[in-house]
Amino acid sequence: MKNILQRTAVLAGAAALAGTVMAAPASAATPASICGSGYYVLDSHAVGAYATVYVLYKSGGDNCAVTLLKKPDGKKHQLGVYLRYQGGTMQKDVDMYSTYAGPVYVHAPSKCIEWSGLSGIDDGTYVSPWEFCD
């Protein structure tokens, strides 16, 4: 009888612990939290049906881009993000990710930028025009 009571207590403790772990909220990544302090979203665009690419800005001419899955499913998918200023080198991050690609950064005060995203789930792509030239 003592063994049964001990096992019951252990199982009850494990169930309580599992319930606590399961109840903990997942922290969702946002474009601003990925890029860092001071960045805000300038624009976004769908990349196929499953992802969105975002371009962000921080005062002083700092730009950031990230591609996020709309509904992460725990699996890794090919995701990509690209960012460059006119006349500059392309900054990119393309790999297999479960949540997002990036961030990538360019410092481009008073220069036009081009930002792009890729989702290998459905071969979605988006390439912006040259913009934010002020």
Side-chain angles (χ1 to χ4, degrees):
M1 184 67 152
K2 185 177 178 183
N3 283 341
I4 292 173
L5 291 175
Q6 286 175 335
R7 277 189 253 162
T8 303
V10 168
L11 290 174
L17 179 60
T20 302
V21 171
M22 297 292 251
S27 67
T30 65
S33 70
I34 295 166
C35 287
S37 179
Y39 281 93
Y40 64 90
V41 175
L42 285 175
D43 202 358
S44 65
H45 199 280
V47 181
Y50 299 99
T52 303
V53 62
Y54 297 86
V55 63
L56 296 88
Y57 180 80
K58 181 168 82 170
S59 66
D62 294 320
N63 298 274
C64 176
V66 61
T67 298
L68 273 77
L69 284 175
K70 292 179 182 178
K71 294 183 181 178
D73 59 6
K75 298 176 186 174
K76 289 188 175 185
H77 304 280
Q78 184 183 33
L79 293 173
V81 63
Y82 308 82
L83 180 62
R84 68 179 172 156
Y85 63 86
Q86 214 159 16
T89 303
M90 178 74 69
Q91 302 301 309
K92 63 182 178 179
D93 181 24
V94 182
D95 210 334
M96 301 296 286
Y97 293 110
S98 59
T99 309
Y100 61 87
V104 293
Y105 300 94
V106 297
H107 181 72
S110 303
K111 296 180 182 169
C112 301
I113 61 169
E114 177 185 69
W115 49 287
S116 327
L118 163 76
S119 168
I121 300 171
D122 57 358
D123 295 326
T125 59
Y126 172 75
V127 179
S128 77
W130 291 104
E131 57 187 349
F132 308 116
C133 301
D134 301 346

